[in-house]
Each structure stands twice: as C-alpha cells, then as structure tokens.
Amino acid sequence: MLSWENLIGHAATIDYLKKNIAEEKFPHAVIFSGEEGVGKRLAAEICAAALLCENPIDGNPCGSCESCHLVAAKSHPDFYVVEAEETKTARNIKIGQIREMQAEASLIPINSARRVIIIDGAELMNKAAANCLLKTIEEPPSQTIFILLTTSRSSLLMTIRSRCMTINFDKLTASQIRDALISREVDAQEAERLAVIAGGSFGRALKLKDSGGIQIRETALDTLEKISRKEFSNEEIFKTGAEMSDWSRDKFSDFLTHVQKILRDICFAEILEPYNPDVAERLSKIKIPERKIFLMIEAGAEFHKRLKSNANLRLLAEAYLMKVKKIYQRGWQCGSIN
Ligand SMILES: [Zn+2]
C-alpha cells in the first residue's frame, strides 16, 4: 500500500506535503525536482493516493478504501501517469502522449472529487509536447492536479517552471540508503558498499544491486588500472567495446559515472570525502597526473552527453576508451582529439 512510511528520508518535505493535502491547499501544478531514485515518483504516488482517498487522515492515504486500492494497483480512473517511451536510441515524451492525457483531463473525474496526473521525466518532453502541456497548465481543467517529476528542472520551459510550485528532493545520505537496504534484507556488508557508491540515490542502489553494479564499478576500476599501467592495448579496447555494445545505455552511463567518481577520488583523496572508500588502497596505486585527470573527467562528461544522442554504443564505448588512453599517454596535447 502507498504510505508515507515507505518513503526514505525527506522528513520535512513529507510534513509539508501532508499539511498541504490535509488543508486542501495542494497546488494545481507542482514540480518534484531531484536526482533519479531519491523517491520523487513514490512521493507523487502517495500524494495521488492521499488526494483521491475517501478517508484521508492528516494528509495520509487511509490505505483501505477502494480509491487507495485502485491507485496502488495503478487502475484508478482519476489517476493518470505519463512516462517517457523508450526506443533503442532515445527516451522521450511525445506530443501524442500529452494530447491523450489532455483528452482524459478534460473529462469530469469519475470516482473522486479530483484527478491527479503525474508526468514522470518531464525534462524528456520534446518542445512540441512541452508547449502542448503548457497550454493545459495555463488553463488547468478544474479539479485536476499536475505533478511533474524531473531530474533536470532547468531543462523545463521557463513558462512551465513559472507556473508550477517546485519542491526539491535532496539526495539521501549513505546511512539512510544503507538502513533501507538492510530492511529489505540485503546483507549488511553489501548494503554498506552499495550505499557508498549509490551517490545519494536509493533507486541507483537498488539498480546496482540487481544489475551487478559493483561489477560495473569493478570494470571501471580495472580500466583505469590498466590504462595507468599502460596495459590497455587497442585490441583490448575493441574487445571491451564489443562487450559494452551488449550493455544498455543506462549501464554504460553507470560505467562512465563510476570512472568519473574514481578519478575524482584519486585526485582529491586528501581533501574530499571519497565516493569509494572501500577501495582506497587500490585507488592509491593508480598514478595519473592531476592535469590528465581533469582532461579525463572532461572527456567523461562529453561522452555522457553524446550518450543521449543516437550514437552507436559500441563506437561510443571504443571512442571513449581510446580517448582516455590517449589522454593518459600524451596528456594535454590530446585535449582536442576525439
Ligand atoms: Zn483511502
């Protein structure tokens, strides 16, 4: 059942949302902004349950009425979710999806006094879709509440941002993530390690657990170790690229993120709290001059961007590995080599 007790962290935000629901002051259009996996979607679903519940208690859904059951089962007629459609090359929300939602929103709510619409991944709306949504938010159908979820508020149209109240969802602490993992019966030692590398996102910690994320970090670590020992032959780069071509784009994105965090740890070991304290000894043996680390981090950011285009994953992986290797071997002169 959807309950605030299931949301990890965000105590002040929960209090605020509950108060608004209880006092019937919930805004007509709101943006939940924060990183992937920090609880925005669950919070939005709990809000929907509480807003549609027949017997809400102080901003909490009762959990036992028909509405609560239907929202939890995602079959409530007054609860509508728009999500990005994913193809092999792109993820976005199309204008057709927004139009479909608008047709639904123009109807009178069926079971409840209001309708709740969640748009998950609002930054993934293309321009036409965003403009179409804007029209609805400017003149919202009465009794309709929009909850936009985004990992990148600044990517939304300014006109949409200005018409929505924004609620920020901060990153979770490592101990919050660790405790939540342990309560889901993850082994304490694994929970500790996952919590450290999840970067404040419980969703990421779960994904890492399920997708062998520790293994992805291991690949990232192994890659940098080989490069810094000059053991990464071009042949091996092409072999690794071929293996990575079977990965999802999300998995390659995780790999890039791990490389970035490891580089940051190597560079700032003595100043900043490390992302990967459990492998500090291995990291201390990777010797890369600071200047080259910055170039590598720049390259990682650039390839993260390219990953969002339609580029072929295998070519992208090979180009990235080749670039990092060249930066290590030749240093700053390679800043412009692709
Ligand atoms: Zn209820």
Side-chain angles (χ1 to χ4, degrees), residues 53-54 62-63 65 68:
C53 176
E54 290 157 32
C62 77
C65 71
C68 280

Side-chain angles (χ1 to χ4, degrees), residues 8-69:
I8 305 159
H10 309 302
T13 305
I14 292 174
D15 283 347
Y16 179 77
L17 290 170
K18 275 162 68 174
K19 189 167 173 284
N20 275 275
I21 294 168
E23 294 174 359
E24 302 261 330
K25 284 184 191 155
F26 201 87
H28 273 282
V30 60
I31 294 172
F32 285 3
S33 168
E35 280 199 27
E36 195 80 57
V38 295
K40 303 186 300 296
R41 173 67 179 260
L42 180 59
E45 288 183 6
I46 300 167
C47 285
L51 289 162
L52 299 173
C53 176
E54 290 157 32
N55 312 296
I57 310 148
D58 298 332
N60 294 285
C62 77
S64 53
C65 71
E66 192 195 357
S67 265
C68 280
H69 283 283

Side-chain angles (χ1 to χ4, degrees), residues 228-239:
S228 70
R229 290 198 303 254
K230 300 189 179 169
E231 287 171 4
F232 212 29
S233 66
N234 287 355
E235 201 180 17
E236 196 167 352
I237 285 181
F238 295 130
K239 192 172 148 254

